[in-house]
């Protein structure tokens, strides 16, 4: 018999504070899978009316699926988190859009009726597993000129995008980066971020003193409040001599995890679960790998067309800041000002960090918080560029929308 597509909702989302990758980072002594476990346990703690036995799936993304990020994370992290052994799980890899893809994958199952409720998220421990660790790209990519060699280096693709948009200067990128830091600092000061963070206990080692102890991580490590244009002006351009991409106008190398509950709206209402966002449409698109930062533009065009909406209908944007130029290219394409108040109201990855496969759910938790505060906004979107030439966009509807307010 024919099936009816069901409404899919974002129930709740959490994340660990994001850390700096490397031996000096907060998570240097912490396993990647333990970060996911903490996120899952926090979701269950915050939503006591969700019976773990009713969870139909656990989808967890990681870009580098080896070591403590391997072994079918969705299944193993679920067991480690204390979910019943009857709850299945699996892993996903779509590089930067891993967690976003985990959400859309389980959302498709919910809409089809295969699931009532599922967990979706992602993790990246770039300190333990740098992007590309252990991979062996086929030499045909370069020898047969299937892609430009720069496609294998994300920073070089950002320089290529600057070439495509000569009006996006290094100064504009730096100005955008400063605003991201300022907005993130303000969001912290206003208590907007902490509500969805999972405190993580970590082991700290002071090699100089020969001491080892434990601490509690409650804030994002990469943030650089007080960043100025003068600070950024003198930074090196590691991907090209006299280039435009620096450590100051790009996200860093980071560690962290996210998790979310995705359900049918009927299931959420029947089980007394919050409904923070309603899924409208989602789309993925491929672009030239050497300008992967362009990806959000065609992905958004597809998602808008599927929803019967235009860019003017979108009242809030959460755009992943892999590089400032990637966000600015999106805004320039759609005629949106660099400092438009609808864009990344709490700041973005340039400030918080971008642990690759986990970041998609961070965008969603921030958008959900903004929806709650702004009932006059009806539609928002989360979008990301993806390594090797892709873009990903999800359009969401605000369940708190007040029809008497602004139709945006």
């Amino acid at each position: 018999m024919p099936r009816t597509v069901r409404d899919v909702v974002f129930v709740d989302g959490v994340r660990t504070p994001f850390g700096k990758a490397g031996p000096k980072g907060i998570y240097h002594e912490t396993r990647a899978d333990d970060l996911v476990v903490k996120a899952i346990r926090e979701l269950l703690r915050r939503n006591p009316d969700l019976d773990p036995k009713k969870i139909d799936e656990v989808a967890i993304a990681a870009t580098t699926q080896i070591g403590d990020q391997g072994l079918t994370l969705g299944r193993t992290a679920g067991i480690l988190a204390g979910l019943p052994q009857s709850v299945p799980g699996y892993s996903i890899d779509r590089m930067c859009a891993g967690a976003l893809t985990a959400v859309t994958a389980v959302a498709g199952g919910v809409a089809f009726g295969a699931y009532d409720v599922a967990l979706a998220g992602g993790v990246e421990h770039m300190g333990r597993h740098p992007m590309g660790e252990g991979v062996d790209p086929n030499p045909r990519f370069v020898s047969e000129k299937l892609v430009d060699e720069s496609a294998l280096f994300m920073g070089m693709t950002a320089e290529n995008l600057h070439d495509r948009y000569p009006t996006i200067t290094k100064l504009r990128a730096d100005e955008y980066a400063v605003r991201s830091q300022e907005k993130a600092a303000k969001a912290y000061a206003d208590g907007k971020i902490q509500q969805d963070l999972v405190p993580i206990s970590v082991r700290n080692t002071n090699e100089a003193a020969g001491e080892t102890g434990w601490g509690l991580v409650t804030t994002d490590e990469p943030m650089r409040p007080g960043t100025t244009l003068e600070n950024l002006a003198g930074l090196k351009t590691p991907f090209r001599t006299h280039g435009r991409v620096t450590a100051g106008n790009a996200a860093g190398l980071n560690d962290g995890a996210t998790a979310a509950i995705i359900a049918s709206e009927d299931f959420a209402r029947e089980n007394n679960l919050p409904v923070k966002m309603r899924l409208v449409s989602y789309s993925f698109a491929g672009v030239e790998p050497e300008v992967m930062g362009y990806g959000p533009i065609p992905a958004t065009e597809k998602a808008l067309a599927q929803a019967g909406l235009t860019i003017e209908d979108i009242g809030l944007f959460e755009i992943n800041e892999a590089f400032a130029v990637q966000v600015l290219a999106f805004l320039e394409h759609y005629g949106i000002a660099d400092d438009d108040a609808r864009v990344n109201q709490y700041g973005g990855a340039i400030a918080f960090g971008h642990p690759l496969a986990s970041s998609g759910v961070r965008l969603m938790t921030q958008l959900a918080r903004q929806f709650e505060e702004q009932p006059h906004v009806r539609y928002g979107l989360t979008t990301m560029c993806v390594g090797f030439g892709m873009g990903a966009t999800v359009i969401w509807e605000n369940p708190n929308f007040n029809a008497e307010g602004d139709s945006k």
Side-chain angles (χ1 to χ4, degrees), residues 169-350:
T169 61
K170 180 179 182 297
L171 177 60
R172 275 181 70 186
D174 285 349
E175 288 173 340
Y176 182 88
V178 169
R179 282 193 298 273
S180 180
Q181 295 284 355
E182 291 173 344
K183 288 189 287 188
K186 184 178 186 304
Y188 257 96
D190 294 342
K192 308 296 187 188
I193 304 300
Q194 300 91 322
Q195 301 172 67
D196 298 317
L197 295 183
V198 185
I200 304 291
S201 57
V202 296
R203 187 171 69 174
N204 300 314
T205 302
N206 185 338
E207 295 181 355
E211 298 175 349
T212 298
W214 289 87
L216 191 67
V217 176
T218 59
T219 58
D220 293 301
E221 185 181 21
M223 292 174 58
R224 297 183 294 274
T227 296
T228 65
L229 281 175
E230 290 71 28
N231 297 147
L232 301 185
L235 294 180
K236 295 179 181 179
T237 58
F239 305 105
R240 185 184 295 180
T241 304
H242 305 301
R244 292 140 299 192
V245 179
T246 72
N249 59 34
L253 304 178
N254 306 111
D255 308 330
T258 60
I261 301 171
I262 306 298
S264 75
E265 185 160 2
D266 287 345
F267 179 91
R269 305 283 186 196
E270 290 165 5
N271 289 271
N272 198 32
L273 298 174
V275 173
K276 295 189 174 181
M277 299 194 293
R278 188 175 295 114
L279 194 149
V280 177
S281 67
Y282 64 85
S283 187
F284 301 90
V287 298
E288 298 162 86
E290 56 267 29
V291 285
M292 64 101 188
Y294 185 81
I297 295 171
T300 297
E301 290 174 346
K302 288 175 67 176
L304 287 169
Q306 290 169 0
L309 300 172
T310 68
I311 200 71
E312 287 75 25
D313 292 312
I314 305 302
L316 288 167
F317 296 82
E318 277 293 326
I319 308 172
N320 192 46
E321 297 170 354
F323 302 94
V325 63
Q326 161 248 311
V327 181
L328 294 171
F330 180 95
L331 299 180
E332 187 154 309
H333 176 85
Y334 284 110
I336 300 171
D338 293 2
D339 59 353
D340 192 296
R342 297 172 295 168
V343 178
N344 292 9
Q345 292 189 344
Y346 296 166
I350 289 173

Side-chain angles (χ1 to χ4, degrees), residues 13-25:
V14 299
R15 68 178 179 90
T16 70
F18 290 167
K20 294 179 180 178
K24 295 182 179 179

